[in-house]
Amino acid sequence: MKPAASGSNSNANARQALVPTNTVTTKDGVSVRARIDPSLAVVDVVRQLCSNLKVQDHPALYALRDEQDVLVTDENLLKKIREKAHLKLVSSPVLEAVEIVEKLTAREDKSTKMALFSLQKYIQEDAFANEFLKRRGLSELLAVISVSHGNTLAYALKGLQNLMALNHGWSDIPKSFVSELVLILANPQNLVNVSRPATSILKRLVEADPRFAPQAPATMLSSASRPGTAMSNVAANTANKPALQIVTNNKMPRKGVWNYGFDFVWDEMRKEGLSTGQVTSQGSDRSIRPLETVVQKLSSGDTKMATDSMMLINSLMKNATDSRWEELANELERLNVRKVVVRLASSSMMEDLSSQVMEFQANLTSLAYRRKTTPVDPELPSVRDALTVIWNASRIPDTPIGIQQTRGPIARPAVRAGTWDPSVFEDPGSQASTAKWVKIGFESEDLQLEFERVGLLGLDCLRILAASSPEYFAEVILEQLSRPAERRCPVAKASNEVVELLSEHYQVFGPGYSTSSSFCPYFLWFHRVHNLAVKFFLRIWNESSAAATDFARVAALVRSQISVALKDETRPWHEIERDFLDSEYREVRERQMRELELEDDLLNKPPVRLIEGSRNVRAKLYKESFEFVRSQRIQCLMLGAWFVNGNPVPPVGTSPMRESISLKRMHRPWRFFRLDKSMRYLHYVDSVVKLPIRAGLEDLPEKMEVAQIVDVTPNTCALPPNIHTGGHAPSDIPYSPTVASPLSFSLLSTQGGSLADLVAENSTSYSDWIDGLNMLRGDHFSTKETADMVQALTEIGLKIKLLDLSGEKVEIPSNLPIPPLPPTTDFFFSDYD
């Protein structure tokens, strides 16, 4: 690095060669123009600057920052030189860390607030963070949070949030502080600038689960496997896996942060709920006040607050442990989160929250699958309560209809007619046992067997059907009992069949698999749709004069009606109701016959009905197709692609600051992105034009960490002027700084703001990257192209499986007789179209 200074005429040629690259301003306000050699390390650049500017202090006490206070490092030095950024010679991160810790320790209001304001920015820098943590800055920060309020508390929480973006240094946050944090979150009077970072910190604690800790040692798993501990869950989850998947070396990361997790945070939230919550109508359960406050924040009208709240709810749903997920699901149902999300999706904030709403839908699918695959145990209090609601709603007189030998426990009738005491059970072979559940429409008294296919989800749907319309439910049950046995519609069996049909329609195949690329509001109203479909089932049964042997035929008609009624979920609810309640049997039957005619002949063969009856093959094929497409999308990320640096379109009513900042990219409008093989970093380079990029990372000097991406939001930025991509003609989308390109998306940061605002060249690249990044971070996708590909692969796989079956029971002869020669050769082969 050399200064650009004037000299004698004999050095004129040398002066012309020293073209200044940047302007540097010192602490004293003196600005000099300097030529910085990009091949030097930043430490050497600072040392030469201090030497040339006659700075008396040691060069290690200084660093370079740009006008936005971004620290100049070896990684971004070349970029700063190319952009001719205005640089400042300021205190080094180490010195800044020392000064901030001293101010936090002093506890002086004004200096503490200024220190916390600076901490928000500097804590994201490794050099600053390491020195800050070394000097016990985290303890001082937590102490400040415990005694602060207002803006000081907001600054402190934001600083802690940014610190927790690192994967080290905060492994010893005490439980007492987490309790205080939960109290802050539970207080609805706190300002948004306080609630937002508190919500994000709790989300980070939920995700810091020991189950997901990298490089977990076998010795720790064996020594920390006490029942009820977090590490015992790790041991349980990894016990049956190969050793290479558990152990990569003999030591945990020295400064890991995987000490918290869902159980840790949920216990603290429950503790706060038990101390301040109100007793519910059941009398024994209490509300979890912090979670209730989070749900209320979804309707606050503040987009960022709603986004953070949705992220916390999604994190809780996604990371819930096997022992606590049902507790979380019941609490979310009590708070009616589904209704809040549906209302949120229909508001003007949906565009900004689309990714989080889709993730919520995916998590809800996982919870539905968990409930569907959880057996019904009549000994559990919650199951007995649900059975009590169903039985009492049926109003069946306790008239014995015979004694039946079954495998499961049988309820004994109470003394009073129309009621049932589920606390009393008889053994299956007892003479006092009475066939009761057959009256409601089960095939036997073994409830565990009857709910085997639909689990707790089926029990929930039947309970809600009985509780929501007890008069209708009782009328239907008594009407069926008045008919001959062979003409009765088994109501309970029909309810379970509808649960299966809706699960098949919404592809509830397994945990972690999002089944739709668009928002399905009526999936969130699963129970309401179930009620409508059951009523349709009963009406078709009556109108078609069906008998017991016609159950499969009626179920096929209901499947067809579900497919038609729920094909377009943008329609209003009253139209869905009309399709189920007013459709005539003859029309439904004729439509089904037309559908059968249009189907592939292969799908009408008997083996197909056998396979679709099991419903397991399609689910397995869907999972395999999903994983295949996921690996393909991630492979596209590793190959890389060109994008346009878009101009962010500011939301209505917000400042266009991001847009003005993005105009600085216009001189380098193109960016090439590539994911490295470790799948931890996105490497990139900005360019004036598209250039050939070699394999590897040599041509991509800059990078961003995938873990910093908190969301991938579509339709966020516009094409810069005079830039044309191959995805559409220039006239298709005229340039406007306020019109977002349909091929645009933004990578939002955990610290707030955007890491990149990109416009893809075409729809294929857009689908590959937006779904690839979503699948890399989670398991959901958002584009129709990916959804169609998964569905197509599933259907192809199913047909191949059916081809394997269609040849069964066909005898292939070992030899064929040779026919005689034709009597004449006066013929020709016809042409086949």
Side-chain angles (χ1 to χ4, degrees):
M1 193 281 304
K2 297 182 180 180
S6 60
S8 61
N9 293 334
S10 60
N11 296 327
N13 294 334
R15 289 198 309 272
Q16 293 176 0
L18 297 177
V19 178
T21 59
N22 300 83
T23 301
V24 180
T25 302
T26 66
K27 286 184 177 182
D28 300 330
V30 178
S31 297
V32 296
R33 303 186 67 191
R35 180 182 181 275
I36 300 177
D37 186 352
S39 64
L40 293 178
V42 174
V43 174
D44 296 330
V45 173
V46 172
R47 184 173 62 251
Q48 291 189 22
L49 275 173
C50 292
S51 175
N52 293 332
L53 295 174
K54 309 300 182 183
V55 176
Q56 300 299 322
D57 297 329
H58 195 280
L61 300 178
Y62 291 89
L64 287 174
R65 296 184 182 273
D66 63 10
E67 291 180 303
Q68 284 74 42
D69 283 335
V70 176
L71 182 67
V72 179
T73 62
D74 293 339
E75 287 76 16
N76 62 11
L77 176 62
L78 180 59
K79 179 181 179 181
K80 302 301 178 184
I81 294 175
R82 286 176 175 174
E83 294 178 350
K84 300 185 182 301
H86 191 133
L87 305 179
K88 299 181 293 184
L89 188 65
V90 296
S91 299
S92 68
V94 172
L95 185 59
E96 291 281 2
V98 172
E99 294 176 353
I100 287 179
V101 172
E102 290 178 352
K103 292 178 181 179
L104 294 180
T105 306
R107 300 286 198 280
E108 296 179 1
D109 291 344
K110 187 175 181 179
S111 60
T112 298
K113 184 177 292 187
M114 294 298 297
L116 291 171
F117 185 80
S118 300
L119 178 67
Q120 299 177 67
K121 299 179 295 182
Y122 297 151
I123 197 63
Q124 304 174 44
E125 301 165 1
D126 289 338
F128 179 93
N130 292 336
E131 188 66 24
F132 181 81
L133 295 170
K134 186 192 302 181
R135 295 181 175 272
R136 299 183 58 81
L138 177 60
S139 300
E140 297 297 333
L141 178 59
L142 298 182
V144 170
I145 293 175
S146 300
V147 298
S148 300
H149 59 276
N151 287 335
T152 303
L153 177 60
Y155 295 156
L157 289 172
K158 185 63 177 178
L160 179 59
Q161 176 191 348
N162 292 344
L163 170 63
M164 294 177 70
L166 306 175
N167 287 327
H168 63 86
W170 46 277
S171 60
D172 54 351
I173 295 179
K175 183 176 291 188
S176 58
F177 172 77
V178 179
S179 299
E180 295 177 5
L181 190 65
V182 170
L183 284 173
I184 293 173
L185 186 65
N187 185 359
Q189 304 302 322
N190 280 327
L191 299 176
V192 171
N193 61 346
V194 172
S195 298
R196 283 191 60 208
T199 304
S200 298
I201 292 170
L202 273 183
K203 170 183 173 292
R204 189 70 175 98
L205 290 172
V206 171
E207 295 169 348
D209 197 305
R211 295 174 296 167
F212 312 132
Q215 304 177 0
T219 54
M220 180 174 291
L221 294 180
S222 61
S223 62
S225 57
R226 298 185 302 275
T229 63
M231 290 309 300
S232 66
N233 294 331
V234 180
N237 291 337
T238 58
N240 297 324
K241 295 182 180 180
L244 289 177
Q245 294 182 358
I246 303 175
V247 182
T248 55
N249 56 33
N250 293 327
K251 295 182 179 180
M252 282 285 288
R254 185 170 58 90
K255 296 182 179 181
V257 295
W258 311 95
N259 299 338
Y260 310 99
F262 174 85
D263 287 344
F264 180 89
V265 175
W266 185 250
D267 287 340
E268 294 302 316
M269 295 179 74
R270 274 190 55 81
K271 186 187 303 181
E272 168 62 17
L274 293 174
S275 62
T276 63
Q278 299 295 325
V279 180
T280 63
S281 59
Q282 286 77 12
S284 58
D285 297 330
R286 296 174 183 267
S287 64
I288 299 181
R289 182 65 178 176
L291 186 59
E292 185 175 353
T293 305
V294 172
V295 174
Q296 292 173 355
K297 296 291 185 182
L298 292 176
S299 305
S300 64
D302 184 278
T303 303
K304 293 183 178 179
M305 184 70 252
T307 301
D308 290 340
S309 300
M310 279 295 299
M311 286 181 177
L312 176 57
I313 293 173
N314 282 330
S315 182
L316 290 170
M317 296 174 69
K318 189 172 185 178
N319 295 284
T321 57
D322 292 339
S323 60
R324 312 295 291 275
W325 69 266
E326 191 172 355
E327 186 179 339
L328 171 66
N330 292 336
E331 186 65 20
L332 292 176
E333 286 297 318
R334 190 190 67 79
L335 295 173
N336 211 353
V337 176
R338 298 170 187 246
K339 182 177 181 180
V340 177
V341 174
V342 170
R343 187 186 305 119
L344 196 65
S346 60
S347 68
S348 59
M349 293 192 295
M350 177 57 182
E351 185 174 349
D352 299 317
L353 294 172
S354 59
S355 179
Q356 291 305 313
V357 170
M358 289 300 299
E359 186 172 349
F360 175 82
Q361 180 173 286
N363 291 330
L364 200 62
T365 304
S366 297
L367 288 181
Y369 178 80
R370 278 185 165 185
R371 296 195 74 84
K372 186 173 181 287
T373 54
T374 301
V376 171
D377 183 2
E379 298 292 339
L380 294 177
S382 59
V383 174
R384 292 149 75 107
D385 291 343
L387 294 175
T388 302
V389 172
I390 295 169
W391 180 256
N392 290 340
S394 68
R395 302 179 185 175
I396 298 176
D398 287 327
T399 303
I401 61 173
I403 299 174
Q404 186 176 358
Q405 300 291 331
T406 56
R407 296 189 300 163
I410 298 176
R412 185 174 63 190
V415 176
R416 187 180 49 172
T419 63
W420 171 58
D421 180 6
S423 64
V424 182
F425 286 89
E426 296 289 350
D427 292 332
S430 172
Q431 295 298 317
S433 62
T434 306
K436 299 174 62 66
W437 295 107
V438 172
K439 297 180 181 181
I440 294 181
F442 291 111
E443 293 182 336
S444 70
E445 297 295 300
D446 188 349
L447 297 182
Q448 208 162 17
L449 177 63
E450 293 297 324
F451 286 104
E452 184 178 22
R453 292 187 305 151
V454 293
L456 290 178
L457 181 62
L459 178 63
D460 291 341
C461 289
L462 184 57
R463 174 184 59 81
I464 293 173
L465 175 65
S468 60
S469 302
E471 293 81 8
Y472 170 80
F473 187 74
E475 179 183 350
V476 167
I477 295 296
L478 296 176
E479 178 187 353
Q480 300 305 319
L481 289 176
S482 66
R483 298 178 179 180
E486 66 276 5
R487 309 296 297 182
R488 296 174 185 170
C489 177
V491 178
K493 183 180 178 182
S495 172
N496 288 348
E497 182 66 20
V498 169
V499 172
E500 278 282 5
L501 295 176
L502 288 175
S503 299
E504 183 179 334
H505 175 78
Y506 287 114
Q507 298 178 335
V508 182
F509 291 149
Y513 293 91
S514 176
T515 58
S516 176
S517 61
S518 59
F519 179 58
C520 301
Y522 298 131
F523 173 70
L524 273 61
W525 296 120
F526 190 94
H527 301 109
R528 294 179 64 184
V529 177
H530 169 269
N531 289 359
L532 282 179
V534 171
K535 293 177 180 179
F536 178 80
F537 193 110
L538 295 171
R539 185 166 60 84
I540 294 297
W541 183 281
N542 294 335
E543 293 182 6
S544 63
S545 301
T549 56
D550 297 323
F551 188 89
R553 177 177 61 82
V554 177
L557 292 172
V558 176
R559 175 190 286 110
S560 175
Q561 188 67 11
I562 288 175
S563 177
V564 171
L566 301 178
K567 184 177 182 179
D568 181 11
E569 298 216 2
T570 61
R571 298 190 305 157
W573 175 252
H574 69 85
E575 294 186 10
I576 305 295
E577 284 185 310
R578 184 181 60 199
D579 286 345
F580 281 110
L581 300 180
D582 299 337
S583 298
E584 295 184 2
Y585 165 72
R586 185 182 300 276
E587 295 178 356
V588 176
R589 180 61 178 166
E590 291 177 354
R591 186 190 65 237
Q592 187 205 26
M593 296 303 297
R594 291 194 300 270
E595 292 173 353
L596 291 175
E597 292 176 359
L598 295 175
E599 285 183 358
D600 189 348
D601 291 339
L602 185 63
L603 296 180
N604 292 324
K605 293 183 179 181
V608 175
R609 299 194 180 104
L610 180 62
I611 284 187
E612 291 197 342
S614 67
R615 295 186 175 94
N616 292 327
V617 174
R618 183 183 293 272
K620 180 180 178 181
L621 291 173
Y622 181 87
K623 296 176 187 177
E624 293 176 355
S625 302
F626 185 96
E627 291 299 331
F628 176 82
V629 173
R630 182 178 184 272
S631 62
Q632 184 270 338
R633 291 291 190 255
I634 293 178
Q635 185 63 31
C636 290
L637 268 59
M638 292 182 175
L639 291 176
W642 281 101
F643 298 91
V644 176
N645 285 317
N647 292 334
V649 176
V652 178
T654 60
S655 171
M657 179 180 61
R658 288 179 60 205
E659 180 182 358
S660 61
I661 293 175
S662 67
L663 293 177
K664 299 179 180 179
R665 311 174 192 165
M666 291 180 58
H667 68 290
R668 292 182 183 274
W670 292 94
R671 174 174 291 188
F672 186 89
F673 260 115
R674 176 176 290 159
L675 179 69
D676 66 0
K677 293 183 178 180
S678 69
M679 295 190 292
R680 292 183 57 194
Y681 295 96
L682 283 171
H683 296 256
Y684 65 94
V685 63
D686 292 325
S687 176
V688 178
V689 295
K690 293 195 295 183
L691 301 171
I693 302 294
R694 295 174 294 177
L697 306 175
E698 292 80 6
D699 295 341
L700 309 175
E702 307 200 43
K703 65 181 180 180
M704 67 176 64
E705 192 173 2
V706 174
Q708 293 181 347
I709 303 175
V710 71
D711 196 10
V712 182
T713 306
N715 302 328
T716 55
C717 48
L719 280 171
N722 303 321
I723 297 296
H724 169 56
T725 65
H728 41 69
S731 60
D732 292 343
I733 304 179
Y735 167 72
S736 172
T738 60
V739 177
S741 168
L743 301 180
S744 64
F745 60 94
S746 294
L747 309 181
L748 303 186
S749 170
T750 54
Q751 283 84 33
S754 174
L755 295 170
D757 302 293
L758 307 172
V759 181
E761 289 192 273
N762 50 60
S763 59
T764 301
S765 179
Y766 174 81
S767 176
D768 288 344
W769 276 78
I770 194 169
D771 287 332
L773 289 170
N774 280 328
M775 290 176 166
L776 182 64
R777 297 169 46 252
D779 296 298
H780 73 284
F781 49 80
S782 58
T783 65
K784 185 176 183 299
E785 288 81 356
T786 301
D788 291 344
M789 181 179 292
V790 174
Q791 188 64 30
L793 290 175
T794 303
E795 295 300 327
I796 292 173
L798 179 62
K799 291 183 179 181
I800 292 175
K801 291 290 185 182
L802 298 178
L803 288 174
D804 293 339
L805 290 177
S806 60
E808 289 184 353
K809 300 181 180 180
V810 176
E811 295 183 2
I812 301 177
S814 58
N815 52 38
L816 294 174
I818 300 176
L821 294 174
T824 176
T825 58
D826 187 15
F827 63 86
F828 60 92
F829 294 101
S830 63
D831 295 330
Y832 292 94
D833 293 333

